[in-house]
Amino acid sequence: MEQSGRRRLKVVFILVGLVILASTLAAIFGHRVFAPVPFPRAGGQASLTIEVSGAANDKGQIMVAVCDEASFLKVCPYMTTQKAAAKLTALVEKIKPGRYAVMLFHDENGNGVFDMGANGIPLEGYGFSRNARGHFGPPAFADAAIDIKPGMDPISIELAY
């Protein structure tokens, strides 16, 4: 296969991956999983401080979800929102200690939905714990997983656009 053909094939694979990632994030965030619904937090003993950087602007809010493996890329048991800023700190409290992944996105227009273009490419920034990045879709739980326990240090997540 000639080099330009390989390059076109690589671009197609990248675009397909972005569409898969965007579709997954829309499935997670597009159903307004951040609606103010009380979730059971019995037995929660830990708090998680998340230092978020890389927001493109200070419009809207940063929506944060802390998910165990069963709820990863679905509705998560621990969520919070924070006014957007270039750098901010979000706090999630009363988390039952265990293994979790953190997902977040910059809801620039404040509609509570992870917005995508007509081609399925994300229009808003997003990030995962450990700054995990997926290939042709979201990262695997294992790539973003962290152990949350009382007294732990803050984690940092950089938004990707």
Side-chain angles (χ1 to χ4, degrees), residues 100-124:
Y100 296 89
V102 179
M103 311 183 296
L104 54 85
F105 80 99
H106 181 187
D107 182 21
E108 292 185 62
N109 58 9
N111 67 354
V113 176
F114 183 72
D115 295 318
M116 299 180 301
N119 57 2
I121 294 178
L123 298 175
E124 297 176 311

Side-chain angles (χ1 to χ4, degrees), residues 12-34:
V12 168
F13 280 127
I14 290 170
L15 288 174
V16 167
L18 287 172
V19 168
I20 291 169
L21 172 64
S23 298
T24 302
L25 290 171
I28 296 164
F29 297 117
H31 296 297
R32 298 186 186 271
V33 297
F34 289 98

Side-chain angles (χ1 to χ4, degrees), residues 22-125:
S23 298
T24 302
L25 290 171
I28 296 164
F29 297 117
H31 296 297
R32 298 186 186 271
V33 297
F34 289 98
V37 176
F39 286 90
R41 297 183 182 193
Q45 304 169 24
S47 295
L48 177 64
T49 302
I50 305 152
E51 296 170 348
V52 182
S53 62
N57 55 57
D58 62 357
K59 296 178 185 172
Q61 59 196 352
I62 304 295
M63 302 183 91
V64 180
V66 179
C67 316
D68 58 19
E69 189 166 12
S71 65
F72 185 62
L73 303 177
K74 301 174 187 153
V75 177
C76 302
Y78 306 99
M79 294 180 265
T80 191
T81 60
Q82 182 81 27
K83 179 158 178 19
K87 288 187 177 186
L88 63 94
T89 301
L91 177 65
V92 182
E93 297 180 292
K94 299 181 182 174
I95 302 171
K96 182 178 178 184
R99 194 151 181 82
Y100 296 89
V102 179
M103 311 183 296
L104 54 85
F105 80 99
H106 181 187
D107 182 21
E108 292 185 62
N109 58 9
N111 67 354
V113 176
F114 183 72
D115 295 318
M116 299 180 301
N119 57 2
I121 294 178
L123 298 175
E124 297 176 311

